[in-house]
Amino acid sequence: MLSTIPPVAGTDWTALHNFAALRGQFRVSITPRCNVACWFCHNEADVPPPLTRRDRTRQPRTGHYGADEFLTVINAAIGAGLKRVFFTGGEPLTSHLARDVLTGLRPSGPDGSYTLITNGTRVRIHQAWLSKVPLDTVKVSLHYFSDESFKAIAGTRIGIDCVLDGVEAAREIFDNVELNCLLQKENAHEIRDILAFALDRRMPVQFIELVGTDFNEDRAASAVPADDIIRHLRTLTSDERTEIAGVGQGRRIFRVDGVEIDVIHRNLGRHHVGQCGTCPVRPKCVEGFWALRADHAGGLQPCLLRDDLRLDIKHLLDDPARLAEALAGHVTAFTEGVL
């Protein structure tokens, strides 16, 4: 179901600009498809690959965008003040649109950034054209460190060497390559190895506690707290601070020999806004409002858990000014609790 709230006359940009100033993300889901199927995948609030594998009648939304439409939405968002753009999926590099979208980006500018989030398995084969795109950061999901854990978590026969080679391929062409790792029982025995891998290559890494969704409820027992990795990091460094300002969950930030290690820790709170106050699913929400998501099907969504809050923006693609107003209006309506 899509919300049909029109752009607001005399748009108030305050909420959107505040969201951007608090490091809010604009996430662009190029495709819902992926070549692996991690059990915890939320697929940016679309039907995730593991669910489709189990039940072929559960398919993700039908795509409506080509590369030009994606670029129109991205440019409108940047024009509206959303400077931190993240490209997600699915796996973005499985899409035939990825090359045209990423090579068609305007420079991010001094206060902006483009980040590609990838599982790493297709970086090497696309390395030639990726070397020409204006990405500021590539973030590789490394939730596993062996063939066994890769299969257990992602349900794939692809070997872990393919992912690790993707990390190296990214490092060959980008200055900023980072890792992210979801903490879970299936990889608990490998977390320190993943940390050592990152530190050896001087790559930042983010360890994340599981965010529960309707899609992963049957595996909720796999979630593990961040306590062990926090204790271990405290044996490596005394350089620790907490960050609770901004959007999303609070995080603990460690610096080990100059390398930043983040731990997304639910004990530090979350950023809930107006709409969250009366939300029926708030008791299981640990993130609050931290990202505005544009999907391949022409929707705009502020919350992973509330598909009913999606806004249809396809009809605004031929009017970038109205599209930017719609972005601002949707953020305002969400933060004021009037959606």
Side-chain angles (χ1 to χ4, degrees):
M1 176 177 169
L2 287 174
S3 173
T4 55
I5 297 173
V8 180
T11 300
D12 183 353
W13 300 87
T14 304
L16 184 143
H17 290 162
N18 286 343
F19 173 69
L22 291 171
R23 295 173 53 84
Q25 298 182 10
F26 187 65
R27 295 173 73 89
V28 180
S29 179
I30 296 178
T31 176
R33 305 294 181 180
C34 189
N35 58 334
V36 301
C38 296
W39 66 264
F40 50 79
C41 180
H42 57 65
N43 213 4
E44 301 291 5
D46 205 338
V47 176
L51 184 56
T52 298
R53 281 192 184 184
R54 294 196 299 268
D55 180 359
R56 292 295 178 179
T57 68
R58 301 289 303 275
Q59 294 290 327
R61 303 180 186 101
T62 301
H64 288 282
Y65 286 170
D68 289 344
E69 287 75 20
F70 272 120
L71 291 168
T72 295
V73 173
I74 293 164
N75 292 333
I78 292 173
L82 296 171
K83 305 297 186 182
R84 302 178 71 229
V85 181
F86 289 70
F87 297 96
T88 73
E91 167 51 48
L93 297 182
T94 63
S95 172
H96 68 283
L97 299 175
R99 180 171 183 169
D100 288 342
V101 171
L102 296 180
T103 58
L105 295 172
R106 299 171 182 172
S108 58
D111 59 343
S113 64
Y114 295 126
T115 299
L116 172 68
I117 301 177
T118 175
N119 62 32
T121 60
R122 299 180 67 83
V123 175
R124 179 68 71 183
I125 63 174
H126 294 303
Q127 189 183 40
W129 66 261
L130 280 171
S131 67
K132 300 178 176 66
V133 304
L135 290 172
D136 299 282
T137 302
V138 171
K139 182 170 284 192
V140 181
S141 298
L142 189 62
H143 311 299
Y144 14 70
F145 208 62
S146 65
D147 289 347
E148 292 74 22
S149 60
F150 197 12
K151 182 177 181 180
I153 293 168
T156 181
R157 295 181 181 178
I158 300 173
I160 191 63
D161 286 347
C162 183
V163 178
L164 300 181
D165 180 63
V167 173
E168 298 304 329
R171 294 177 68 230
E172 289 167 12
I173 55 177
F174 295 107
D175 292 333
N176 298 316
V177 179
E178 302 176 359
L179 304 177
N180 68 81
C181 177
L182 184 77
L183 300 168
Q184 54 197 288
K185 289 181 179 179
E186 289 82 358
N187 66 12
H189 61 295
E190 298 175 335
I191 295 301
R192 295 188 185 185
D193 292 332
I194 292 170
L195 173 62
F197 176 83
L199 291 175
D200 185 58
R201 290 156 180 78
R202 302 195 60 76
M203 288 187 298
V205 58
Q206 185 174 74
F207 294 102
I208 308 165
E209 292 185 324
L210 176 70
V211 174
T213 69
D214 292 340
F215 300 129
N216 63 35
E217 283 182 331
D218 61 334
R219 296 276 295 269
S222 286
V224 297
D227 299 349
D228 183 70
I229 188 62
I230 289 171
R231 282 193 296 267
H232 179 60
L233 285 164
R234 286 172 176 164
T235 70
L236 303 180
T237 182
S238 60
D239 189 345
E240 174 187 350
R241 62 186 174 90
T242 59
E243 182 177 283
I244 56 175
V247 298
Q249 294 173 260
R251 59 181 184 149
R252 300 187 187 278
I253 303 168
F254 299 84
R255 294 190 72 84
V256 181
D257 295 330
V259 180
E260 186 170 293
I261 312 297
D262 286 6
V263 181
I264 304 298
H265 198 190
R266 69 182 64 209
N267 289 349
L268 297 178
R270 64 209 74 175
H271 187 76
H272 286 124
V273 295
Q275 190 73 31
C276 306
T278 57
C279 180
V281 296
R282 177 167 177 169
K284 63 180 180 180
C285 172
V286 298
E287 293 190 308
F289 180 39
W290 63 282
L292 195 61
R293 296 169 168 86
D295 60 56
H296 68 293
L300 187 74
Q301 187 159 337
C303 178
L304 280 176
L305 303 180
R306 293 286 303 275
D307 186 61
D308 58 310
L309 300 181
R310 285 180 75 237
L311 175 69
D312 187 350
I313 58 175
K314 295 191 297 294
H315 63 293
L316 300 173
L317 293 178
D318 60 350
D319 190 339
R322 287 188 66 218
L323 177 54
E325 288 181 353
L327 296 175
H330 204 50
V331 173
T332 298
F334 184 77
T335 56
E336 293 182 355
V338 296
L339 282 177

